[in-house]
Amino acid sequence: MKMMKSAPILLFTLILTFAFTLPSCISPRKLYDHGQYDAATKAAVRKLQKGHKDKHLVTLERSFVKANQQDIEKINFLKKQGTPDVWNEVFGIYTNMKFRQEMVRTVTPRSYRSGSKRQVSFPFVNYDEEIIHAKQLSAEYYYARGAKLLANGNRRDARLAFEEFQNVKSLYRDYKDIDKQLDLAREQGTAHVFFKMENKSGAVLPQGFEAELKKMTLHELNGQWVQFDVAEQAGKSYDYTILLTLNGIAVSPDALKEVVTTETKEVPDGFQYVLDKNGNVMKDSLGNDVKIPKTKTIKCLVTEVQKHKEVSVTGVLDFYDLVNRQLVRSFPIKADSYFDNISAFAVGDFNALKPETKKKLEARPLPFPNELGMIMQSSTVLKNIAKDIIWNNHRILN
């Protein structure tokens, strides 16, 4: 019943899906013997569509009658309850009965003699009036319930009202003023949030800092019931304010450090003859002069210049409930921005340098950035941190 109430228009589609995905390997007779008359009917239809009439026609007749009998008993029971919330279920049952009947029509006439055994018959009924009546009463119930919830004047009930009006819309696209009621419920059920920033750090912010911060595309966080604004809309009533307060901006001094190292390498430097104890050049077994390789040490003086500077922006992100005039949650926030540059120059024989040192020599030395530029850079970091906090805590904004 809950499934029908939340999405009545899907019932017929679900019935269709089930009917044509029922495993063909299940015996219609076995389903009938287990009291699954609706499933037995569908299984028998599938079998008969393959031409096995004599084998399954009697089972189809019996399961069809039993399934309809069960549904009528259920409908009579619901009607006896006398409550208006039963009509969507009644509508669903009648719809299922009509579908079942149309499905059976596709494989057999009203009566059919099964071989030489006996005649089978199918008591087809026109359910249109019952379906229309139940559908109308169901729509009336949902509409009245939605209107009552909406009149309570609070967001939670407005959202429930929206669901009721959607149920009406699924039954009748143009029922009364249903589109207007949906718009009212949507507006009344939506929490409107305004994001703003205050600078209490005592530091002068670069031009465009706040504008860059508000480029956090909060519309990506918008949900069905929460809408964010980074620019206050005139005449709009807000339910929450998210306030980012900057409490401190610290900029480190320019840090420059020079590291001097010497790299050396042994390289070939010709050869020298081997002398005997008399000072004569020694000969090998073939009469050739004996000589050995000679090396020399080359070196290069490397100066590595390391530059570092950082900016730290600290503050707090507060969630305020404007309706109840209270602070809901508060989150400390900190954004760091760094400048690091390593370059090097060398004096001496470059052949003595390691490959990684040679790569350092290719790096271009950069000047230290100014403070305003680094503060501006931190706004991007701050923006992403604030956005993550808002996303992870969006349930606060109910």
Side-chain angles (χ1 to χ4, degrees):
M1 182 172 179
K2 184 177 180 181
M3 181 275 291
M4 291 183 187
K5 180 175 179 178
S6 61
I9 199 170
L10 295 178
L11 179 63
F12 194 73
T13 303
L14 291 174
I15 295 168
L16 278 170
T17 302
F18 179 75
F20 290 102
T21 57
L22 188 69
S24 58
C25 60
I26 301 177
S27 166
R29 181 56 185 269
K30 191 172 293 185
L31 290 169
Y32 177 85
D33 291 341
H34 285 82
Q36 300 181 43
Y37 304 123
D38 189 54
T41 302
K42 294 165 185 171
V45 168
R46 288 176 62 91
K47 296 292 186 181
L48 290 167
Q49 287 173 340
K50 297 179 179 180
H52 307 297
K53 290 186 179 294
D54 290 341
K55 185 177 181 181
H56 300 289
L57 197 59
V58 173
T59 302
L60 175 61
E61 176 201 28
R62 292 173 178 174
S63 60
F64 177 69
V65 172
K66 286 284 189 180
N68 286 339
Q69 183 180 345
Q70 280 187 334
D71 286 342
I72 292 298
E73 290 174 357
K74 177 66 174 177
I75 288 172
N76 290 337
F77 173 77
L78 292 170
K79 288 180 178 180
K80 286 179 180 179
Q81 292 185 21
T83 56
D85 59 336
V86 303
W87 287 109
N88 186 65
E89 187 171 1
V90 172
F91 167 66
I93 296 173
Y94 273 130
T95 302
N96 185 37
M97 292 175 72
K98 180 177 180 179
F99 169 77
R100 182 191 302 128
Q101 184 168 272
E102 294 304 316
M103 184 173 58
V104 170
R105 284 183 191 271
T106 65
V107 295
T108 181
R110 185 176 179 83
S111 64
Y112 184 86
R113 184 174 298 279
S114 178
S116 59
K117 297 179 181 179
R118 71 174 182 84
Q119 189 177 30
V120 294
S121 62
F122 298 88
F124 294 145
V125 178
N126 188 335
Y127 296 110
D128 289 348
E129 287 188 10
E130 288 82 357
I131 290 173
I132 293 171
H133 180 64
K135 183 178 179 181
Q136 289 173 341
L137 292 177
S138 180
E140 288 176 13
Y141 166 73
Y142 287 133
Y143 185 90
R145 181 170 169 78
K148 184 177 179 180
L149 287 166
L150 191 60
N152 291 336
N154 62 75
R155 282 200 302 274
R156 187 176 298 277
D157 284 346
R159 294 171 187 179
L160 294 174
F162 185 83
E163 293 180 8
E164 302 295 346
F165 291 140
Q166 279 190 315
N167 287 335
V168 176
K169 186 76 172 177
S170 69
L171 294 168
Y172 296 100
R173 294 181 58 84
D174 300 317
Y175 188 85
K176 295 183 178 179
D177 59 346
I178 191 61
D179 290 330
K180 178 183 177 182
Q181 296 301 323
L182 280 167
D183 290 341
L184 288 173
R186 184 184 292 108
E187 176 58 29
Q188 191 169 306
T190 299
H192 295 283
V193 186
F194 175 48
F195 175 85
K196 65 179 181 178
M197 187 204 79
E198 289 184 1
N199 179 23
K200 293 185 178 180
S201 66
V204 177
L205 296 176
Q207 186 177 3
F209 182 93
E210 184 172 357
E212 179 62 29
L213 184 65
K214 288 185 175 182
K215 289 180 182 177
M216 66 171 63
T217 57
L218 282 177
H219 65 82
E220 295 175 1
L221 305 181
N222 288 342
Q224 182 182 15
W225 299 115
V226 181
Q227 296 291 315
F228 293 88
D229 285 329
V230 294
E232 190 170 8
Q233 305 296 315
K236 190 172 186 177
S237 178
Y238 288 95
D239 303 289
Y240 295 93
T241 290
I242 297 178
L243 175 61
L244 174 58
T245 303
L246 303 184
N247 295 325
I249 298 178
V251 183
S252 72
D254 297 351
L256 188 148
K257 181 180 179 182
E258 291 188 353
V259 179
V260 180
T261 57
T262 300
E263 294 189 12
T264 61
K265 186 178 182 180
E266 293 291 322
V267 297
D269 187 31
F271 63 90
Q272 61 183 16
Y273 292 101
V274 178
L275 304 178
D276 59 19
K277 61 182 179 179
N278 298 320
N280 298 317
V281 177
M282 295 181 62
K283 304 290 185 177
D284 59 18
S285 59
L286 298 176
N288 299 318
D289 295 339
V290 177
K291 51 187 177 182
I292 57 175
K294 187 171 64 170
T295 62
K296 66 177 179 178
T297 302
I298 59 175
K299 63 182 180 178
C300 189
L301 189 69
V302 180
T303 302
E304 183 176 291
V305 181
Q306 302 173 355
K307 294 179 180 180
H308 176 78
K309 188 173 184 176
E310 63 184 72
V311 170
S312 181
V313 180
T314 56
V316 62
L317 194 67
D318 292 322
F319 289 64
Y320 287 98
D321 184 337
L322 300 180
V323 177
N324 298 313
R325 298 185 178 182
Q326 63 180 9
L327 175 65
V328 181
R329 290 289 298 274
S330 186
F331 302 90
I333 192 168
K334 183 174 183 288
D336 298 315
S337 179
Y338 302 96
F339 167 79
D340 288 290
N341 177 245
I342 297 177
S343 60
F345 62 90
V347 177
D349 193 333
F350 281 31
N351 292 320
L353 300 178
K354 301 173 185 176
E356 55 268 26
T357 305
K358 291 180 180 180
K359 194 168 186 67
K360 288 181 181 179
L361 298 179
E362 298 174 1
R364 184 168 60 92
L366 300 175
F368 283 100
N370 60 54
E371 293 185 3
L372 291 179
M374 289 202 68
I375 294 174
M376 189 67 185
Q377 182 180 340
S378 70
S379 67
T380 301
V381 180
L382 194 66
K383 172 176 63 179
N384 292 329
I385 294 174
K387 186 175 180 180
D388 286 342
I389 293 175
I390 295 171
W391 170 252
N392 292 330
N393 296 275
H394 69 277
R395 288 183 176 82
I396 294 174
L397 312 168
N398 52 33

